[in-house]
């Protein structure tokens, strides 16, 4: 009895999660609203701050460079920064604990009017919860891209989107697609 190849199953799972996202009118409208919001805040001279753990940290860096560099269009660079500096992360984790790496960064760099995007597949990391609280206290617009029901971070931010998917990899794939759509929306309003 032949078994289904892993690659075929993976593509089917990814497509099913994407189809579920696309079929959610709320999710599609939320992404559009967030793109407009980010554009408006950048145009007003604010910045986008983004953070995540593990693979989500890599996605945060990718998103920031799409804004500061370019995505599809030649345009002025846009103010964005990801919390991926190993010096900051290791210093803060060593001196205060890993649960403070993002909140200390937000306290140091966040200004009222900035947009803070938190990427979390579980929504349960203490460092993300503390970052959301620090962002809210400093007057940042907080956005959470979540997965697997949203976890403890669900409801803690001004805006949120819970991506479908049963595993972190499927959720992260949708988060990256959402981040690309956000940049595409911002660019369409900027150029």
């Amino acid at each position: 009895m032949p078994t289904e190849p892993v690659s075929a199953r993976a593509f089917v799972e990814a497509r099913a999660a994407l189809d579920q996202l696309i079929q959610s009118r709320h999710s599609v409208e939320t992404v559009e609203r967030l793109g407009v919001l980010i554009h408006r805040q950048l145009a007003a001279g604010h910045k986008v701050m983004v953070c995540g753990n593990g693979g989500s940290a890599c996605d945060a860096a990718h998103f920031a460079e799409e804004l500061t560099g370019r995505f599809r269009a030649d345009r002025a660079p846009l103010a964005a920064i990801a919390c991926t500096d190993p010096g900051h992360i290791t210093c803060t984790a060593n001196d205060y604990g890993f649960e403070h790496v993002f909140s200390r960064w937000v306290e140091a760099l966040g200004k009222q009017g900035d947009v803070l995007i938190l990427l979390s597949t579980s929504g349960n990391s203490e460092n993300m919860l503390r970052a959301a609280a620090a962002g809210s206290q400093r007057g940042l617009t907080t956005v959470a891209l979540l997965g697997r029901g949203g976890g403890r971070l669900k409801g803690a931010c001004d805006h949120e989107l819970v991506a479908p998917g049963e595993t972190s990899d499927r959720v992260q794939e949708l988060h990256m697609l959402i981040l690309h759509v956000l940049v595409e929306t911002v660019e369409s309003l900027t150029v």
Side-chain angles (χ1 to χ4, degrees), residues 112-150:
Q112 186 170 0
D114 291 345
V115 177
L116 173 64
I117 301 175
L118 306 171
L119 306 176
S120 178
T121 62
S122 72
N124 290 319
S125 298
E126 184 64 28
N127 57 14
M128 300 300 273
L129 292 159
R130 290 176 184 251
S136 293
Q137 290 167 355
R138 295 189 66 78
L140 281 71
T141 299
T142 56
V143 176
L145 295 186
L146 304 167
R148 297 192 307 228

Side-chain angles (χ1 to χ4, degrees), residues 30-39 42 48 50 59-80 117 145 174-191:
T30 297
V31 172
E32 184 68 21
R33 278 195 310 275
L34 290 174
V36 171
L37 166 76
I38 292 167
H39 169 263
L42 288 169
V48 175
V50 57
D59 293 343
H62 181 117
F63 178 64
E65 62 83 11
E66 298 280 22
L67 292 169
T68 60
R70 73 181 297 252
F71 181 62
R72 292 184 178 171
D74 286 327
R75 48 139 173 94
L78 301 170
I117 301 175
L145 295 186
L174 291 178
H175 283 179
M176 195 66 250
L177 178 59
I178 290 165
L179 293 171
H180 276 159
V181 172
L182 290 174
V183 177
E184 187 173 354
T185 303
V186 169
E187 277 196 353
S188 74
L189 297 168
T190 302
V191 178

Side-chain angles (χ1 to χ4, degrees), residues 164-179:
E166 299 299 317
T167 59
S168 293
D169 51 317
R170 295 288 91 91
V171 171
Q172 285 176 322
E173 289 162 1
L174 291 178
H175 283 179
M176 195 66 250
L177 178 59
I178 290 165
L179 293 171

Side-chain angles (χ1 to χ4, degrees), residues 64-123:
E65 62 83 11
E66 298 280 22
L67 292 169
T68 60
R70 73 181 297 252
F71 181 62
R72 292 184 178 171
D74 286 327
R75 48 139 173 94
L78 301 170
I81 185 169
C83 186
T84 55
D85 175 46
H88 165 77
I89 292 170
T90 57
C91 171
T92 304
N94 185 62
D95 293 347
Y96 296 98
F98 196 70
E99 65 272 18
H100 295 280
V101 295
F102 299 134
S103 59
R104 299 270 308 171
W105 179 73
V106 170
E107 291 166 3
L109 300 175
K111 304 285 186 227
Q112 186 170 0
D114 291 345
V115 177
L116 173 64
I117 301 175
L118 306 171
L119 306 176
S120 178
T121 62
S122 72

